[in-house]
Each structure stands twice: as structure tokens, then as C-alpha cells.
Amino acid sequence: MSEQDRVHLNFENVAKTTFAFLNDLGFSLVESLPTLVRYQNGDVEISVFHGRRSYEIGVDILYVGTRYALAEIIRVVDPDAAKRYSHAIASTAEGVVVGLEAQGALLKRYGTLALQGDPHFFSILEEKRTVWADEYWLDGLAKQVRPQADEAFHRGDYAKAAELYARIRSCLSPAEVKKLVLAEERSKP
């Protein structure tokens, strides 16, 4: 569906109404299209979008040229709330209203420091991004290594099992820690 075909969903007008609170915070509307509405205030830009293919309704915050998803902002402020967060998906005018209202409420609730352009907040967000990336990488590694380590342990190849379990030490369950200790003991000459 092209942008012109989306006009009937009224995203542009509903987004401008729902996010009018940004005007009160010093933001100015800088772009308004059938699938994108952008606001700016100094180094902070807010993009409210309706995915062209996905129909996701979301909010991105740009700070000094770096883009952050609303999900990341929420994750810094309230990690438990972030676990429950998901983009709204809307292919009807009613769904667009509901989705935009939800995104606006979340931005108001969790985005205060981001909307203020607080450099300390964005510094913390950058640090968290690094931690999240490392955790994601380690989780992926653990999904690959864990079955190999378990198989080596059951085969009696304790040196291999110890080496593999040690690679994912921080992800091990208590039972796997016991296997690691046992494999290390049994692999000693």
C-alpha cells in the first residue's frame, strides 16, 4: 500500500493531535506525511511512524543524530515494563488511533529525560546498548554451545565439556555449574 493509499487511515492527523503535547515542550513540527510525523527541539528529534510494510506504529528518538527506539528508552527507565512493550500494529483507522494513543502515553510516561535532551540519560542509554548487545551475543553463543557441552559431558569428554561450559560460564544454570566443576575435576591428569 503506498503512502497515498494510507491517507484513509488518517495517521498524519491523528499523530499530530496525539503528540501535540510535544509543542508544549518546545518541539516544532518539521515534517508531516501519511506515514511519518517528525518533531524537533534542539538536538532532540521525535519520529512517529506507521511502518510502510509492517503497519507498526512506533516512536523513535534521535539525539545528536543517533536513533533510539522508544523500547530502548522504556528499557532504561523500567526494564519490567520494557518486557511487556510491543509496537502497535494497525491497518484500520481505529487501530491507528489506539496505537498512537498508546505510543503517546508511553512517551509521556517514560520519555521525560529523553525529551529534555538530558545528556546523562543518553550516556546511560549508550552504556546500556553496549551491555544489551553483549548479552544478546552471549545468549546466542549459549544457545549454540550449551547442547555441544551437554553432549560432550554425556559422552565423557570432560575436557571438551569443561572448555565449552567455561565459554558460557555467566549463563550457566546451577546444574550446569555443577557439570562444569565435575568436568574440570575429571579432565585433570
Side-chain angles (χ1 to χ4, degrees), residues 1-10 34-35 50-55 90-93 96:
M1 186 180 287
S2 72
E3 281 191 10
Q4 289 305 328
D5 295 334
R6 295 278 190 100
V7 172
H8 75 279
L9 297 178
N10 204 25
T35 59
H50 192 205
R52 291 182 180 155
R53 292 191 184 125
S54 67
Y55 287 85
S91 58
T92 65
V96 166

Side-chain angles (χ1 to χ4, degrees), residues 145-167:
V145 170
R146 184 172 275 120
Q148 296 170 6
D150 289 342
E151 200 268 322
F153 186 86
H154 290 343
R155 239 186 15 246
D157 187 350
Y158 297 115
K160 184 68 173 174
E163 181 259 321
L164 290 168
Y165 282 131
R167 289 179 61 195

Side-chain angles (χ1 to χ4, degrees), residues 10-18 32-33 37 100:
N10 204 25
F11 171 84
E12 186 175 0
N13 292 325
V14 175
K16 288 190 286 187
T17 301
T18 303
S32 180
L33 302 168
V37 175
L100 286 169

Side-chain angles (χ1 to χ4, degrees), residues 153 165 172-181:
F153 186 86
Y165 282 131
L172 297 178
S173 69
E176 291 168 329
V177 170
K178 288 178 183 177
K179 286 181 181 179
L180 170 59
V181 170

Side-chain angles (χ1 to χ4, degrees), residues 27-54:
F27 285 84
S28 300
L29 181 67
V30 293
E31 186 173 19
S32 180
L33 302 168
T35 59
L36 175 70
V37 175
R38 290 187 317 116
Y39 294 86
Q40 187 168 9
N41 181 8
D43 291 335
V44 180
E45 182 180 304
I46 307 299
S47 294
V48 182
F49 61 87
H50 192 205
R52 291 182 180 155
R53 292 191 184 125
S54 67

